[in-house]
Each structure stands twice: as C-alpha cells, then as structure tokens.
Amino acid sequence: MAHYDYDLFVIGAGSGGVRAARLASELGARVGIAEEYRIGGTCVIRGCVPKKLLVYGSRYGSELADAHGFGWTCGELSFDWPTLIHNVKREVDRLNGVYTRTLETAGVDRFLTRAAVEGPHEIKLADRDGARSAKTILVATGGHPVMPDVPGKEHLISSNECFELEQLPESIVIIGAGYISMEFASIFSGLGVAVTVLYRGEQVLRDFDMDLRDGLAEAMRNRGIDLRMNTDITSIEKEGDGYRVQLKRGDSVAAGLVMAATGRAPNTSGFGLQQLGIDLGWNGRIAVDEFSKSSVDSLYAVGDVTDRKNLTPVAIHEATAFVETVFNERPTPVDHSFIPTAVFSQPEIGTVGLSEEKAREMHPHIDVYKAHFRPLKSMISGRDEKMLMKLVIDAASDKVLGCHILGSDAAEIVQMAAVALRLGVTKAQLDATMALHPSAAEELVTLRHRWEPPAPVAGSDAAA
Ligand SMILES: Cc1cc2nc3c(=O)[nH]c(=O)nc-3n(C[C@H](O)[C@H](O)[C@H](O)COP(=O)(O)OP(=O)(O)OC[C@H]3O[C@@H](n4cnc5c(N)ncnc54)[C@H](O)[C@@H]3O)c2cc1C
C-alpha cells in the first residue's frame, strides 16, 4: 500500500481550506496546509469581515443626521479614517490569530508559503526542497481581482488596497457596478468621499432582480453618488496628485483615486494544475463534480477556485461536504439552491432565490407581490427613502421562488426567509404566519395584492 506524508494536503488557508483541514484532522486524518499570504483568506483578511466593519463605520454619518428628528443634537461631526482603518486591522489581526490557533489546536501542519502541485499526490512547497506527498489534495486557492486591460491600469487599485489606504481621497472613481463596487461606493460616500461609479452596462448589479437594481441605483443617486451607466473607459492618466479617467465617448472624470471593481477570477495559474492536465473552465476555474472532485481522482477543489457561487458560507459548506464524503464515508453532494446573499450598500439588499426575470424564463406562470413603503423610522427622521419587499411565486404550486428586499436590515431578514424558501414555503403558508408588529419584515407575511404589470402602452393613434 502506498505511503503518503499526509492523508490530506490543503492548498490555501481561506474559508474553505481552513474548514476542510480542521474537520479532516478532527476525524483523525494527517493534514497539512499551505498558505502564501495570511491564514484566514479573503473573507477574513480583505473581504467580508473588514468590509462589513467599514460598512458599519460609514453608516454613522447618516444615522446621526437621522437622529435629529428624534430630538438629538449631535454637534459638529468629524471623522478620522486612520482610527477606523487601524481598528479594522486590529480586528483582522485578531481573527488571523484565531484561525491560526484553530489549525494548531486541530493538529494541522501549517506551511506559510506558496504550494504547487507536482503530481496527483505530490506537493512542492516554495520555501523548502523536496516534495510532500498526500493521498488527497484539496485546492482551495480562492480568486483574485481582475483589472481592466486599459492604458494606465497600473494606477488602479482593487478592493485589496482599500483596506490599506493611509488616507481617504477627496474623490474616487469606481469602475464596475457589481456588489463590491456598490458596497465600496456606499462606504466611501458615507465617509464623505465624492464617488463616481462608471459602468458600461445598462444598470447596476447584473443578474439581480430588476426592481432591486433600479431601486438601489435611485437611492444611491439620491444619497449623492454619481452613477454613470453605459459608460466605458479608455485610459487612466496621472494628473497632479490624482488621476484622470478618459471615457470612450470623449469626456473625462478626475479623482483622487481610481478603483477597479470589475470582477474576480479563480486562482489556478502558476502552481502546476495545467501541467497535471486537470479540466479547467473557460475562466480558469477548476471543473468539479457535485462532490467537489476534479478530473484527477486524488484532487478536489472547493470555494471560489471552482467559481460555483463565490461566497464564504458556500466555500465552508463545500469544504464540510468534501470532508464528509472523503473522510467520513458519507458521500455528501452540495446543494447550491436558495443561497441567500446580501449587498451591504446604503440602502442594503438581501435576496434569495430567483429574480422575477429569471423566474419568468423558467416557469410558465408566476405571480409577483411587492410593497414599496416608507419605513416607520423615516416618518420622523425625514429620510425620503422607500423600502422594497418583493416575493416571486410559482402560480402552479404556490411555492415562493424568490424573496427580494431593499432597505434597512435586508440581510438579516433574508437569512431567515432563506430557511423558509429552502423548505419549500408557499405563499399561503406565509399568509398564515402571524406578523410581528411593528417591523418592516411583517410586510413579507401581509402582502395581499398581486402586482399586475402595467398595461402595454397604447399605439400612437390611441395616444394622440
Ligand atoms: C471585497 C470582498 C468582499 C466580500 N464580501 C463577502 C460577503 O460579504 N459575504 C460573503 O459571503 N462573501 C464575500 N466575499 C467573498 C468571500 O470572501 C469568498 O467567497 C471566500 O473568501 C472564498 O473562500 P475560499 O476558501 O474559496 O478562498 P479564499 O478565502 O480566497 O482563500 C484562498 C487562500 O489561498 C491562498 N493561496 C492561493 N494560491 C495559493 C498557493 N499556490 N499556495 C498557497 N496559498 C495559496 C490565498 O492567499 C488565500 O488566502 C467578498 C470578497 C471580497 C473580495
């Protein structure tokens, strides 16, 4: 029988890798893990966690403004970026320590270096000679920001550098309009930076429900963010202390910083996967089956590197299912349906299931229920921002296919809605659920009137 140094060797100590390494080790496997940057990965070091802390920090300004109507006088406000970013970094360091100790306690061998795959069972570590062997290799190397290929691209920062800024600029241009762009636009704007978003598409947040897209764009504009759609860039030039972004249609925008939020790609190059002949998708993602097994029997992959649904809980879920399958004799496929997701913009989005547009493509007849309303708090705060609650229903089965929320606490509400949708909740069951009053979430169980699309506009004769 072949002897290996490890039962499992994990490449990448992010959300997926750390979870798999710890669980496999707790089941008695001999486990090694390599990490080339910092243990914790994108989520902990330069993704979800530091971003959410910046989101919290950026919301105080508008909350203090809203407090006025409730009788509070807050005096002159000032904000100090170095304090915020210093405290965020301190929390990231703490979590980095927690993740490191988790691996240590579980008895996982840690290698703080880059790893490469040298064969179906061989791993080469960049900082030492010789190869390590493992019965199973798990690739959990995540992804990286993709930068637009335009002249002057060296001037661009990505979300990674946002967590390292020593000073806030007075103005920023953000290229792209996905969730990372929307979140950072809201963060910077909330902290007093003048924000311009440039996007070549028609509307922000491609693939989200159209009501959410339109509602968020309108609300962000009302909060002073300059969102420019159908706008392509041609180059970025240095100008004084800042930059000038040239637009395809001829004009330009000046800003203190230019950030690209133009998507992410899987980390699959430069560490032996191509040489091994593993099947990769069009964008370099590792192609895997429902058990996260690649085209090479001994090599599995989880998380963003497989580009299935690039979210932390998904990477963790895939890692857990992988360990159950390979180390606990319980083959566990991953179910990627009804994954709740949030956009921590201002206002916030929480969404789960099918958008109205997708549902119309997939189901012959759907019903839509929606409510646009001013939340109670805004009656006194004076903030003129509507909340949206929307349900998409399969008319034949009465099942709820999608739930979409724009407004305060949308993420918190949608997490619980996701439980119901996953269990196949019907509209009738929602209607039979007692409301919790007064809350915004009660709208989800009190939506009574089916939304009818506006009648088609009459022809020019009738209109005349
Ligand atoms: C700005 C931002 C905000 C986000 N916000 C959210 C959010 O709010 N909610 C959410 O669910 N998700 C969010 N995400 C996505 C989330 O961070 C990822 O889905 C998640 O981290 C994926 O985990 P992973 O284990 O696949 O990869 P990662 O966490 O990226 O870990 C991969 C690790 O592998 C290491 N590595 C790569 N190659 C090698 C190699 N050859 N050798 C050794 N080590 C290697 C990397 O250094 C990295 O640490 C956000 C992402 C970003 C960028």
Side-chain angles (χ1 to χ4, degrees):
M1 206 171 92
H3 174 78
Y4 300 106
D5 298 326
Y6 293 103
D7 300 310
L8 172 66
F9 198 94
V10 182
I11 305 182
S15 307
V18 168
R19 178 58 61 99
R22 174 171 72 79
L23 293 183
S25 187
E26 285 171 359
L27 285 170
R30 293 165 303 142
V31 183
I33 192 166
E35 169 54 53
E36 68 174 345
Y37 183 53
R38 293 184 73 188
I39 288 178
T42 305
C43 171
V44 172
I45 308 293
R46 45 195 184 184
C48 334
V49 172
K51 176 218 47 202
K52 188 78 188 281
L53 291 171
L54 293 183
V55 167
Y56 285 130
S58 69
R59 288 182 177 174
Y60 282 100
S62 55
E63 278 165 20
L64 291 173
D66 288 358
H68 198 70
F70 291 89
W72 291 90
T73 304
C74 302
E76 202 181 318
L77 296 180
S78 70
F79 167 71
D80 185 51
W81 169 258
T83 302
L84 175 59
I85 203 68
H86 169 81
N87 289 339
V88 169
K89 282 183 180 177
R90 196 181 53 197
E91 176 58 11
V92 167
D93 290 346
R94 190 187 70 80
L95 288 171
N96 172 239
V98 169
Y99 274 72
T100 305
R101 282 192 297 282
T102 298
L103 292 171
E104 214 170 71
T105 311
V108 175
D109 284 352
R110 298 166 318 284
F111 301 94
L112 284 180
T113 187
R114 187 167 169 82
V117 178
E118 279 209 328
H121 299 281
E122 286 76 39
I123 308 102
K124 173 84 180 70
L125 298 170
D127 68 350
R128 62 201 75 196
D129 295 332
R132 299 282 183 287
S133 63
K135 184 164 185 224
T136 303
I137 297 174
L138 179 69
V139 181
T141 47
H144 61 274
V146 176
M147 307 305 265
D149 192 13
V150 290
K153 63 183 175 196
E154 66 279 8
H155 300 310
L156 291 166
I157 62 164
S158 71
S159 59
N160 288 348
E161 288 75 35
C162 289
F163 302 111
E164 301 296 333
L165 293 179
E166 284 177 10
Q167 291 298 334
L168 274 187
E170 282 185 8
S171 57
I172 189 165
V173 163
I174 304 179
I175 303 164
Y179 83 95
I180 291 178
S181 162
M182 296 296 97
E183 292 180 336
F184 277 96
S186 298
I187 290 169
F188 284 123
S189 170
L191 298 177
V193 178
V195 179
T196 306
V197 174
L198 307 176
Y199 177 50
R200 63 179 172 202
E202 293 280 321
Q203 184 55 292
V204 302
L205 292 180
R206 190 161 53 91
D207 295 339
F208 281 64
D209 185 274
M210 204 62 208
D211 280 323
L212 292 179
R213 301 172 70 187
D214 290 343
L216 180 65
E218 188 187 331
M220 286 177 74
R221 286 194 175 108
N222 286 341
R223 282 178 181 248
I225 297 175
D226 182 4
L227 292 183
R228 302 192 197 177
M229 302 296 103
N230 301 306
T231 303
D232 223 340
I233 64 157
T234 52
S235 65
I236 302 122
E237 294 145 20
K238 186 94 187 89
E239 185 180 82
D241 289 340
Y243 303 92
R244 182 161 291 280
V245 182
Q246 294 292 345
L247 309 181
K248 208 171 197 168
R249 57 174 174 246
D251 50 341
S252 63
V253 193
L257 267 183
V258 188
M259 171 186 179
T262 39
R264 294 177 61 85
N267 286 332
T268 46
S269 44
F271 62 99
L273 295 177
Q274 286 80 358
Q275 291 84 329
L276 200 61
I278 195 168
D279 283 354
L280 300 175
W282 67 272
N283 61 349
R285 73 181 169 85
I286 299 182
V288 289
D289 67 12
E290 59 189 327
F291 299 104
S292 297
K293 183 152 91 165
S294 77
S295 58
V296 173
D297 274 351
S298 57
L299 202 142
Y300 288 70
V302 295
D304 287 10
V305 75
T306 61
D307 196 26
R308 285 176 278 183
K309 187 85 185 174
N310 298 334
L311 293 168
T312 290
V314 179
I316 290 174
H317 203 96
E318 289 166 357
T320 308
F322 155 76
V323 172
E324 284 294 298
T325 302
V326 178
F327 294 97
N328 209 19
E329 293 171 6
R330 274 193 272 200
T332 308
V334 180
D335 177 1
H336 287 93
S337 59
F338 294 116
I339 297 172
T341 183
V343 182
F344 292 103
S345 44
Q346 273 279 61
E348 188 169 292
I349 281 179
T351 175
V352 58
L354 299 181
S355 66
E356 180 184 339
E357 297 72 35
K358 197 82 204 157
R360 286 198 191 285
E361 275 170 39
M362 294 171 64
H363 294 263
H365 186 44
I366 63 160
D367 290 332
V368 173
Y369 293 80
K370 55 183 166 183
H372 275 106
F373 58 97
R374 274 187 77 184
L376 182 59
K377 191 176 168 189
S378 72
M379 299 304 171
I380 285 189
S381 73
R383 183 167 293 281
D384 186 17
E385 202 165 83
K386 290 225 170 87
M387 191 152 183
L388 167 72
M389 298 263 175
K390 176 170 178 180
L391 292 174
V392 180
I393 314 290
D394 173 34
S397 64
D398 198 38
K399 283 205 168 143
V400 185
L401 301 171
C403 170
H404 311 288
I405 302 175
L406 172 71
S408 286
D409 302 318
E412 305 290 339
I413 300 169
V414 154
Q415 172 65 87
M416 294 318 295
V419 177
L421 263 69
R422 205 170 179 289
L423 294 174
V425 74
T426 61
K427 176 71 170 61
Q429 288 167 330
L430 283 185
D431 293 346
T433 303
M434 205 66 83
L436 187 156
H437 182 74
S439 68
E442 68 181 308
E443 291 289 331
L444 288 180
V445 296
T446 55
L447 285 169
R448 293 287 181 266
H449 299 292
R450 197 178 301 137
W451 178 77
E452 299 295 344
V457 179
S460 53
D461 284 349

